[in-house]
Amino acid sequence: MSETTDPKTVTLIRSASLAPGVDYAYAATAPADARLVFLAGACPLDETGATVALGDHAGQAAKCVENMVTALRAAGAGIEDVISTRVIVASSRQADLIAAWDVVRAAFGAHDVPSTLLGVTVLGYDGQLVEIEAVAAVLDR
């Protein structure tokens, strides 16, 4: 079942047969005339290039979301145009992944796009624990 069938918006597709009782979008479709925007991984960096919220997965996830939204705006898009994400967390502990995921999930609210959450050994910046990749589908009006 789909969240929306409006051909002018991202459509989130849910399937009760994949995870009964779980309200989650496992797929999404873009509007036919959409311009796709591929964002590089949003990192937890401040305006000086320093990593923020050292040691804090949730704090870094929040800064990543903030930076992702800034990049989306620069591309003429918003969070409601995102069609998928990948949340990357430098940790082997599931609790750390969930801490980052909870922040990202809250930022998207009802627009809970298909996402991949994964743990890795290390990320590119000193002290970096979280990175968020995203793809958006924008209808230029």
Side-chain angles (χ1 to χ4, degrees):
M1 112 167 83
S2 299
E3 177 180 290
T4 179
T5 57
D6 182 351
K8 295 184 170 120
T9 62
V10 169
T11 301
L12 303 179
I13 300 164
R14 303 169 192 286
S15 175
S17 63
L18 288 173
V22 176
D23 187 25
Y24 181 79
Y26 285 93
T29 61
D33 297 331
R35 172 175 54 91
L36 295 179
V37 179
F38 298 87
L39 278 68
C43 299
L45 305 177
D46 67 14
E47 60 281 346
T48 70
T51 304
V52 302
L54 293 174
D56 179 2
H57 292 86
Q60 286 198 7
K63 185 61 175 176
C64 289
V65 168
E66 178 184 326
N67 289 342
M68 177 188 68
V69 168
T70 298
L72 285 165
R73 271 193 227 115
I79 203 164
E80 69 282 355
D81 298 308
V82 172
I83 194 166
S84 69
T85 67
R86 181 176 299 131
V87 180
I88 307 161
V89 181
S91 180
S92 61
R93 292 175 11 117
Q94 188 176 35
D96 296 335
L97 276 71
I98 291 169
W101 173 252
D102 286 346
V103 171
V104 175
R105 176 66 181 88
F108 278 88
H111 187 66
D112 61 333
V113 299
S115 298
T116 299
L117 173 64
L118 64 145
V120 299
T121 304
V122 66
L123 289 167
Y125 292 98
D126 288 339
Q128 182 183 1
L129 300 172
V130 181
E131 188 164 333
I132 303 170
E133 295 178 3
V135 177
V138 180
L139 278 176
D140 294 313
R141 296 164 185 24

